[in-house]
Amino acid sequence: YEQPDWEDIAEYRFYLYDEVKNLLIESEAFYTTDTMTYAYRGLNDDKFYYIRAIGSTVNGIQMDTGYIRIFIIF
């Protein structure tokens, strides 16, 4: 996360959706930017998913990565 005025993040969550954007998993809330990563396990091979992160800053500005399509290959 980087921004010119460096407004701190208040909280964020990670989301996993299936190929038609049905929500499968919502992470717990995170409150620090030390490690902005999240691992999903048990995804099916040769299948599309969508991942997304949504959060807000300390001043209430909403952040959303939008849906990011991924394809699983083992």
Side-chain angles (χ1 to χ4, degrees):
Y1 169 74
E2 189 171 320
Q3 197 217 122
D5 295 330
W6 195 255
E7 186 168 340
D8 289 335
I9 292 177
E11 90 173 76
Y12 59 96
R13 295 173 189 263
F14 295 97
Y15 299 86
L16 176 70
Y17 300 85
D18 66 12
E19 67 276 1
V20 293
K21 298 182 182 171
N22 293 314
L23 180 62
L24 300 174
I25 299 171
E26 176 181 340
S27 76
E28 67 274 10
F30 293 94
Y31 303 98
T32 177
T33 58
D34 293 341
T35 57
M36 295 183 77
T37 62
Y38 194 79
Y40 293 102
R41 292 179 177 35
L43 302 180
N44 294 324
D45 192 26
D46 292 327
K47 191 169 182 182
F48 285 100
Y49 292 90
Y50 290 89
I51 56 173
R52 185 179 187 186
I54 299 174
S56 62
T57 68
V58 293
N59 292 316
I61 296 173
Q62 299 298 307
M63 304 176 301
D64 188 338
T65 63
Y67 295 95
I68 300 168
R69 189 175 186 208
I70 60 171
F71 184 72
I72 305 303
I73 300 173
F74 290 109

